Amino acid sequence: MSLKVCKFGGSSLADAEHFLKVRAIINSDPERKVVVVSAPGKRFSDDVKITDMLLLCHSMLEQGLDIAPVFQKIRTRYKEIVQDLNIDIHIDALLDETENDMRTIATKDFMASRGEYLCGKIIATWLGARFVEPAEFLQIESNGLIKEETYERLGEQLKGDGLVVMPGFYGCTPAGKVKTFSRGGSDISGAVAARAVRAELYENWTDVNGFMMADPRLVENPKHIETLTYKELRELAYMGANVLHDESIYPVSEPGIPIEIKNTNDPDGSFTRIVARRPKDDRIVTGIAGRKDFYLIQIEKILMNKMVGFGRRFLQIFESHGVNFEHAPTGIDTMSVIVRKEFIGEQLPSILEEIKRTLQPDRLEVTDNLALIATVGQGMIRCVGFAGRLCTALSKRGINLQVIDLGSTQDNMIVGVELNDFEEAVRAIYEEFEQ
Ligand code: ADP
Ligand code: ASP
Ligand code: MG
């Protein structure tokens, strides 16, 4: 029989009411045999995700503070779910043991992973399913990649009779220590499970009917996207369309397992399907996504174009500080690097000092309120004057462009705008290409 892996995100597991919807979805299709769960997310907009509370516990422990009051809130969330659904599990004992383990092991990854662990234990008991512990079978390399042997070992555990439940978000290091993916990483766990069991489909259940052409929090009622390619998804997700983690495509794209993003609150409604190739359509733009909080670091030096190795030396300064860069637009005598603020952290002053000392630029400028917007679509390359239309749409609203990068494949145009213009710029691009 063919198999479907279904991953339920934190928004689908926030409370008992959502648990009931999840159970109904699983029970409605006998092919839904492998279930991957996140930790309970927000029940309302000001609520706090379990994972955020666990990370708070970790920083409190580091500061020598008592985590008991915060853990009490975590305890209440799980106990409410168990009591509301009358689940036959020794929840106090499980929570006591978890609190104790957190104090003993105390690493950030271990503590953050307990949200998924507890949720997985509770759901497995409730559904009478087998619990698979990812810390035993899902090995994550230091570069975040998964080795082929892991898929085989995990596949053996996940296959077999009956339903299985695996917590998302974590696995283990090659040395056997609990390791988490980055935030939102249960999406990756679901993709790893799908490849491990050679699933026919990876269903990712969330709180929206799939991908919209733009973030519904920024654009009112954006158009729904029926089909996306893995590549378009990766570009949009990386640039902030966080409905799915951008790294989720690696495990599934090679074997060509499709992903469907569906709404737990509207299981029969529209959804987005992600595949390797999509038939050519008339759309120019598939989606728009953006991220805030970048630095643009620009240098200017007369005759830079004649200095062999200058660009390499500039980039090497970032490398030697362990900082990834996103884009590096260049001119004849200018070169810029765009980096995420979170990647550079406290290192900005020492990077700037090294640039001045080793490259002696005529001008060094840092823009610290840059937001980037990616406009993505396989139809862009066929659209004469695409870049002009996009820039005009922005200039009509008085939005100043800080930087433009039309990737070499011309299916992803990145523009940089000031932070204050971010929302307005997303709306301007959306309205221009909504069609
Ligand atoms: P989950 O709890 O299921 O992991 P997430 O919060 O990680 O869910 O992802 C779903 C959210 O992604 C939606 O509620 C929506 O606000 C947001 N989102 C951002 N960009 C988009 C987009 N282009 N289309 C749909 N949703 C988007
Ligand atoms: N619970 C984790 C987070 O909040 C992982 C996930 O939900 O995918 O980031
Ligand atoms: Mg998510």
Side-chain angles (χ1 to χ4, degrees):
M1 188 168 83
S2 47
L3 268 182
K4 289 178 188 161
V5 168
C6 13
K7 176 260 170 179
F8 293 91
S11 55
S12 302
L13 295 160
D15 53 22
E17 197 190 323
H18 280 91
F19 269 52
L20 288 170
K21 293 181 189 178
V22 165
R23 184 173 68 178
I25 290 167
I26 296 168
N27 288 346
S28 66
D29 184 345
E31 292 186 354
R32 293 186 177 128
K33 277 284 178 54
V34 179
V35 175
V36 176
V37 293
S38 287
K42 292 184 182 191
R43 293 160 294 180
F44 40 87
S45 64
D46 293 340
D47 199 11
V48 186
K49 292 180 176 187
I50 291 281
T51 309
D52 288 317
M53 290 197 258
L54 291 164
L55 288 167
L56 177 62
C57 285
H58 175 256
S59 55
M60 287 172 80
L61 266 191
E62 274 194 326
Q63 294 167 57
L65 301 171
D66 182 16
I67 63 168
V70 181
F71 196 82
Q72 184 54 40
K73 291 191 176 144
I74 297 172
R75 189 179 278 273
T76 308
R77 294 264 327 248
Y78 286 108
K79 283 188 76 168
E80 266 175 21
I81 293 172
V82 167
Q83 279 157 9
D84 288 351
L85 299 172
N86 209 2
I87 301 174
D88 187 13
I89 188 169
H90 296 297
I91 188 67
D92 279 312
L94 180 63
L95 287 161
D96 288 346
E97 190 192 348
T98 304
E99 187 175 354
N100 198 31
D101 288 348
M102 278 170 56
R103 291 178 196 276
T104 320
I105 301 174
T107 64
K108 187 176 176 190
D109 284 23
F110 179 80
M111 292 177 77
S113 72
R114 294 305 86 186
E116 271 70 11
Y117 168 78
L118 288 167
C119 194
K121 281 278 179 192
I122 293 169
I123 293 212
T125 307
W126 186 46
L127 300 178
R130 196 155 45 82
F131 177 85
V132 169
E133 174 52 85
E136 283 174 32
F137 306 104
L138 199 167
Q139 194 170 304
I140 308 167
E141 302 293 305
S142 55
N143 56 9
L145 296 179
I146 311 290
K147 278 199 175 148
E148 206 50 52
E149 302 97 83
T150 287
Y151 291 114
E152 279 164 34
R153 288 185 63 212
L154 184 65
E156 281 166 23
Q157 295 304 314
L158 294 175
K159 277 192 193 157
D161 287 342
L163 195 65
V164 286
V165 171
M166 181 179 90
F169 191 38
Y170 70 95
C172 62
T173 64
K177 282 201 177 138
V178 166
K179 179 174 166 68
T180 56
F181 293 112
S182 53
R183 293 300 302 269
S186 299
D187 292 331
I188 310 174
S189 309
V192 171
R195 176 160 171 170
V197 299
R198 298 189 174 84
E200 153 217 9
L201 179 65
Y202 170 27
E203 287 182 328
N204 190 287
W205 292 88
T206 182
D207 65 345
V208 279
N209 287 62
F211 252 87
M212 312 294 155
M213 215 177 130
D215 187 337
R217 290 164 297 191
L218 301 181
V219 170
E220 214 184 308
N221 219 354
K223 270 197 171 170
H224 175 256
I225 307 176
E226 231 166 82
T227 323
L228 271 176
T229 64
Y230 294 126
K231 186 165 184 284
E232 287 170 334
L233 171 103
R234 158 101 170 125
E235 275 161 0
L236 289 169
Y238 184 76
M239 282 303 294
N242 54 4
V243 57
L244 194 75
H245 196 294
D246 63 285
E247 289 169 32
S248 317
I249 62 153
Y250 292 119
V252 289
S253 57
E254 204 189 295
I257 301 167
I259 309 173
E260 286 180 358
I261 302 176
K262 295 181 166 171
N263 190 345
T264 301
N265 306 309
D266 180 19
D268 299 319
S270 53
F271 59 90
T272 298
R273 191 170 161 89
I274 300 150
V275 288
R277 246 167 252 98
R278 148 166 88 72
K280 286 220 161 46
D281 51 28
D282 295 337
R283 272 182 303 167
I284 302 168
V285 168
T286 308
I288 302 149
R291 266 182 185 275
K292 298 174 181 175
D293 296 327
F294 290 93
Y295 286 118
L296 170 67
I297 301 169
Q298 290 176 293
I299 53 171
E300 188 173 338
K301 192 167 170 89
I302 296 293
L303 296 177
M304 182 193 286
N305 61 324
K306 296 239 163 102
M307 298 174 202
V308 176
F310 189 89
R312 180 186 49 75
R313 275 159 51 213
F314 184 38
L315 295 179
Q316 212 160 38
I317 295 173
F318 293 87
E319 185 184 336
S320 65
H321 284 78
V323 173
N324 281 344
F325 71 93
E326 306 288 308
H327 302 277
T330 52
I332 308 175
D333 292 330
T334 57
M335 189 162 178
S336 322
V337 160
I338 297 173
V339 278
R340 279 200 205 176
K341 284 188 177 176
E342 61 177 304
F343 291 167
I344 224 168
E346 306 291 302
Q347 306 197 75
L348 185 65
S350 74
I351 289 179
L352 297 181
E353 192 279 319
E354 197 173 331
I355 293 173
K356 279 189 207 148
R357 186 167 39 82
T358 58
L359 303 176
Q360 297 177 346
D362 301 330
R363 187 175 66 89
L364 168 64
E365 203 177 301
V366 180
T367 309
D368 71 353
N369 58 353
L370 185 76
L372 293 184
I373 301 168
T375 306
V376 173
Q378 63 181 22
M380 278 161 46
I381 196 162
R382 286 178 275 116
C383 174
V384 179
F386 168 79
R389 264 178 75 183
L390 192 148
C391 296
T392 309
L394 294 176
S395 73
K396 270 195 202 152
R397 301 213 189 184
I399 298 170
N400 198 13
L401 278 178
Q402 306 282 325
V403 63
I404 304 179
D405 190 355
L406 182 57
S408 53
T409 46
Q410 291 188 31
D411 52 8
N412 182 5
M413 179 161 163
I414 308 271
V415 292
V417 298
E418 268 186 27
L419 207 57
N420 291 340
D421 291 328
F422 174 69
E423 274 93 7
E424 186 68 4
V426 171
R427 284 191 279 271
I429 301 173
Y430 175 79
E431 279 163 27
E432 179 63 31
F433 295 103
E434 181 189 4
Q435 294 164 26

